[in-house]
Amino acid sequence: MTPLPFIRRLFGPRFERPVFAAGAPPRVLMYCASNIGLGHMGRIVRVARSLRRLRPEANLLLATDAGDLRLAALAGDLAVAKLPGYAYRADRPFADEPRGLAMSKGQLRLIRQNMLLALAQSFQPDLVYMDTLPHGKRDEMLPVLLWQRKRRPRGQAALCMRDIPAGPDERFKFAASAASALKQAARYDRIFIAGDARFFDCFEEYGWPPALRERIEYLGFVAPKPPPSPDWDASPLARVFAGARQTIVAGFGGGWESSELSRALLDSLAAVRQKAGAAVGLAIFTGPSISSAEFQALERIARGDPLAHLETLSGLFSLALDRASLAILQAGSSAFQILDSDIPMLLYTREHKLQEQEIRAARLARFAGVERIEREEFLSPARISERVAQALRAPRARRETGFSFDGDRAAAERLAEMLKSNRPETGA
């Protein structure tokens, strides 16, 4: 037999796959991509955490282009394969380009697509689990899905979409003709929606064919209540809450447009206190996408105020939100964490891909104590201070929606079932 080193010298390095025994722990390849917000990453790591409780022996590997991986700590020691990412251009609204690479978007797409396919072929997942984007960003996961389907029944795939996958008038793979929707859905063994049909009925809004009802399941919103944290008492946040009679908690998602909105809140804080007649605290979570220069500029404004505090991204955000006298939030996933509570909310919509958030904000505003705030109001010191003071003065009303907010647990249960069904020889 020809020695392997000779073959390598003759033909160069070759692609080699690891060998996994039939009874090896199951492998789950998870995927999420986003260069705007944190909803995708937050959902998938919470599902990973819940799945670990059910199948602690499973190997979980997350492929993502998230610029900040601190959220991955929610799932413990989660293995992460980092993809090169995209960044928004300063000269063209909502146009992105490769981050840190002098190449075209098409070239980066192929690089990411090849990385994902090689990762899947090496990891040989029993299950591919994807969040939000059917077939991945710019269809980069499509080769993985096609390869995974050839491995049936050993390889399965599941997709979880957010509560409102897209605006009904936007381009969306599952919102075309009935035949196209069924074709796209057939790439997955299971499809979940992290929401509730009573809030947004995808079948009605998109005109999905009845046959899809057998493939798609609503899981409930992914908005688990945060556990107590030993870090809270020693944090600057705790000092703000202790020193203030009322505390505003503002969250700006990924932070893509948080600089001017954070500044508007800081600039209006004195007027808010005057109108509210109370010591009002302010805790701002800008999101990780804010530049260091912008964050430092905001910190300089807040530094002289003992009842104001800024953070980019923190595991204490959920705890602060649960203690808020008023929450000012982007109309994304964070609002659901406190929807079944009496905490008043002012919701704004981001400028990019706003149709989905516009719909969500309008529907959330049907509940007591939830109001929309427009961007022009936000950026007017007089108007924002008056809206905030009014919300702080208003009587609080408890909301009881009847929705489930344990979508991460429900998703993990379904994934555990899938792992069990395709590994009969393990006895699991």
Side-chain angles (χ1 to χ4, degrees), residues 34-37 40 88 92-96 137-138 162 170 256-257 330-331 348-358 375:
S34 173
N35 54 337
I36 302 176
H40 315 293
Y88 278 99
R92 290 173 55 193
F94 316 134
D96 59 6
K137 188 176 181 69
R138 297 189 169 106
R162 62 193 170 202
E170 294 176 338
W256 181 61
E257 55 182 351
Q330 191 179 99
Y348 76 96
T349 58
R350 68 185 178 210
E351 287 191 316
H352 180 59
K353 292 187 175 181
L354 54 78
Q355 191 178 17
E356 158 242 325
Q357 289 204 353
E358 288 279 356
R375 192 176 187 84

Side-chain angles (χ1 to χ4, degrees), residues 50-105:
S50 295
L51 182 57
R52 275 217 164 114
R53 295 188 186 119
L54 297 175
R55 297 297 298 265
E57 82 286 8
N59 287 310
L60 309 183
L61 175 58
L62 172 63
T64 182
D65 61 0
D68 192 304
L69 295 175
R70 280 177 285 175
L71 273 175
L74 290 174
D77 189 19
L78 180 63
V80 177
K82 182 72 167 59
L83 301 170
Y86 299 88
Y88 278 99
R89 296 177 53 167
D91 60 332
R92 290 173 55 193
F94 316 134
D96 59 6
E97 62 184 355
R99 183 188 298 275
L101 296 170
M103 61 177 61
S104 70
K105 289 188 291 187

Side-chain angles (χ1 to χ4, degrees), residues 228-345:
S229 171
D231 298 329
W232 175 265
D233 291 338
S235 71
L237 288 166
R239 292 195 292 273
V240 170
F241 277 82
R245 182 178 171 187
Q246 295 177 297
T247 301
I248 303 162
V249 175
F252 295 107
W256 181 61
E257 55 182 351
S258 66
S259 180
E260 63 177 340
L261 301 182
S262 296
R263 185 181 293 271
L265 286 179
L266 287 166
D267 290 345
S268 66
L269 189 53
V272 168
R273 288 168 177 159
Q274 183 180 25
K275 292 176 181 180
V280 177
L282 175 62
I284 295 178
F285 295 84
T286 65
S289 297
I290 190 172
S291 71
S292 58
E294 289 173 327
F295 186 81
Q296 289 168 10
L298 293 172
E299 266 194 321
R300 286 193 292 270
I301 299 173
R303 194 172 294 141
D305 190 329
L307 298 184
H309 177 68
L310 281 84
E311 296 191 13
T312 54
L313 177 65
S314 170
L316 299 178
F317 170 66
S318 295
L319 287 170
L321 197 55
D322 273 355
R323 291 164 166 80
S325 306
L326 169 66
I328 301 177
L329 302 169
Q330 191 179 99
S333 57
S334 295
F336 293 102
Q337 181 178 307
I338 56 172
L339 185 55
D340 271 19
S341 77
D342 65 348
I343 301 170
M345 287 188 267

Side-chain angles (χ1 to χ4, degrees), residues 5-18:
F6 173 76
I7 295 177
R8 286 176 174 162
R9 287 196 301 271
L10 186 62
F11 297 104
R14 65 190 183 92
F15 187 82
E16 296 183 61
R17 300 179 188 175

Side-chain angles (χ1 to χ4, degrees), residues 270-278 381-387 389 393:
V272 168
R273 288 168 177 159
Q274 183 180 25
K275 292 176 181 180
R383 296 176 74 182
I384 184 65
S385 61
E386 184 57 35
R387 289 295 305 275
R393 291 193 301 261

